[in-house]
Amino acid sequence: MSSPRYWREIPQRYRLEAGKCTDCGNIHFPPRLVCSACSGRQFETVKLSDEGTVFTYTIIRVAPSQFVDQAPYAVGIVELDDGVRISAQIADVDLDALEIGQRVRIEFRLIQNEGEAGIICYGYKCVPA
Amino acid sequence: MVGIVGYGTYIPRHRIKVEAIAKVWGADAPSYERGLLLKEKSVPTPDQDTITMSVEAAKNALRRAQIDPSEIGAVYVGSESHPYAVKPSGTVLAEAIGATPEVHCADFEFACKAGTEGMFVCIGLVQAGLIRYGLGVGADTSQGAPGDALEYSAAAGAAAFIFGDDKVVAEVEETYAYMTDTPDFWRREHQFYPEHGGRFTGEPAYFKHIMGAARGIMAKANATAADFTYVIFHQPNGKFPQRVGKMLGFTKTQIEPGWLSPTLGNTYSGSSPMGLASTLDIAKAGDRILLVSYGSGAGSDAFIFRVTERIDEVRDVAPRTRDQLDNNKVYIDYGTYAKFRGKIRKAT
Ligand SMILES: [Zn+2]
């Protein structure tokens, strides 16, 4: 991940800030410029719920190079309590016990290091509630 | 009156038992378990560090404070394991909780007392009217060199305190600091593990400074040990806080609620602040609490708090410290621990 992109996405990555369409009320995460439901262009910033349930998940056994040390690990789609679905790693979980419908909550975690000398990228993961 | 408006802690789920460490180094586990009253310690996963734990602790403090984070005028993180050598941990923390951009930010370092330093300064700034609320955090993911005595105790955890002069759950009645130049523990730039001057640990370091600070603040407040409902001392192991408590005339009952080290280990900058949070979890309005930190180098900060009735409204809106310590634990072996903590060199 490049530093400029990481920096631009801080509001989403750190604070789960989403865009709520002021015309139709749809919540977009990450925020968009144009509403996919009504083509509206006015949004208010809302903070997503920090709890939800596992909608579906998969176990990553062959990981991209920067996540090799963590494999095997779970990545899931989590439906937050405000109805918005996000994809996130599900950490601190026994992979054999992980289930669809399981309650999880958001935790702030280190996502990746840009090498030994680069910036440290932080963001959200889900953990068992 | 200035006081704690909200407080919160964070403890990682993973634990390693003292006997699992002792087995690897051929050491005698019972001498640590009975001699130092240490059973197990918390271990951070590779995706947890001082910043991530500070954020979680601060979020719990905000849940209890029920204030708008943009009204926080100062964010101070105290740690000896800041992830960046240059770039304050507080920059990430303040951004993550939504306190930016009108906020003063600095990192503190003073071995195990860096956490109470941030708290101390927040109290002063609120009292001076320079800020409305201030956030002081103590957090560490400290390391002891493999096989070193510190490896049995160096643990991970964070505590966060928001100070202000409304919505107070515990008023600050008194503060006091006691500090000298004592070379009991240090780490030079670019060194991975700290050094400790064996002969300086104990009497001229921990005991002298904690007793100096405790006696100083009690004299200032015209109080004796019996005037406090609870007391928290820095916890480098299970034994030292019990011993210094006894020397100062405190009972086990006064120490017990904040005594976390036997199953937590030493969370360095997080240590005594986490003990304070755990004590607030069970305290009642009117209770008087004495907190004395200790940081090698060396010095102690002391605080006297008086709990208010608002404690009953806030204690259960965020996870209690003792619950995080006792529940949902995942035990790991030494190999996993060494991998998590970067103690082994891997093929590149
Ligand atoms: Zn719309």
Side-chain angles (χ1 to χ4, degrees), chain A residues 21-26 28 35-40 43:
Chain A
C21 175
T22 52
D23 290 332
C24 75
N26 254 292
H28 300 282
C35 176
S36 58
C38 77
S39 302
F43 296 90

Side-chain angles (χ1 to χ4, degrees), chain B residues 88-334:
Chain B
S89 299
T91 56
V92 181
L93 168 61
E95 197 74 64
I97 60 170
T100 53
E102 289 182 307
V103 59
H104 187 251
C105 168
D107 280 358
F108 284 80
E109 275 185 51
F110 197 141
C112 298
K113 94 168 178 83
T116 58
E117 290 188 308
M119 294 163 64
F120 203 104
V121 174
C122 282
I123 292 166
L125 290 174
V126 171
Q127 205 146 25
L130 293 179
I131 58 172
R132 177 147 191 212
Y133 299 110
L135 169 64
V137 180
D140 258 307
T141 55
S142 297
Q143 296 250 45
D148 188 275
L150 288 175
E151 194 183 22
Y152 294 88
S153 58
F161 291 85
I162 297 169
F163 292 89
D165 64 6
D166 61 333
K167 305 176 91 175
V168 166
V169 299
E171 294 174 344
V172 179
E173 285 191 345
E174 202 63 78
T175 60
Y176 185 81
Y178 186 96
M179 202 279 299
T180 67
D181 179 349
T182 305
D184 59 327
F185 173 96
W186 62 91
R187 180 167 62 82
R188 293 276 300 274
E189 193 81 76
H190 308 304
Q191 296 296 305
F192 195 65
Y193 296 113
E195 300 284 329
H196 46 97
R199 73 173 72 181
F200 281 112
T201 56
E203 293 310 326
Y206 180 88
F207 291 95
K208 174 184 161 181
H209 292 84
I210 291 214
M211 293 182 70
R215 285 181 175 144
I217 199 169
M218 286 197 283
K220 209 175 158 191
N222 202 13
T224 64
D227 293 327
F228 298 95
T229 324
Y230 302 111
V231 64
I232 303 100
F233 302 109
H234 172 54
Q235 303 168 29
N237 50 53
K239 191 169 189 174
F240 277 23
Q242 293 284 359
R243 195 198 286 170
V244 82
K246 201 173 168 189
M247 290 161 82
L248 287 161
F250 290 93
T251 63
K252 281 194 167 169
T253 319
Q254 287 167 295
I255 297 172
E256 189 71 38
W259 189 53
L260 308 170
S261 47
T263 51
L264 176 62
N266 178 7
T267 56
Y268 285 56
S269 304
S271 176
S272 55
M274 292 172 81
L276 172 62
S278 179
T279 303
L280 288 171
D281 282 343
I282 56 95
K284 290 187 292 294
D287 285 353
R288 232 171 153 198
I289 301 173
L290 173 64
L291 166 68
V292 187
S293 66
Y294 173 71
S296 293
S300 287
D301 295 327
F303 305 81
I304 296 172
F305 298 101
R306 188 183 289 275
V307 179
T308 75
E309 282 172 3
R310 200 174 96 88
I311 194 73
D312 293 325
E313 290 169 38
V314 309
R315 94 177 80 231
D316 284 317
V317 299
R320 292 191 186 198
T321 302
R322 192 68 74 169
D323 289 345
Q324 294 182 65
L325 185 61
D326 294 344
N327 302 333
N328 301 317
K329 293 190 274 193
V330 180
Y331 287 99
I332 56 174
D333 57 18
Y334 194 89

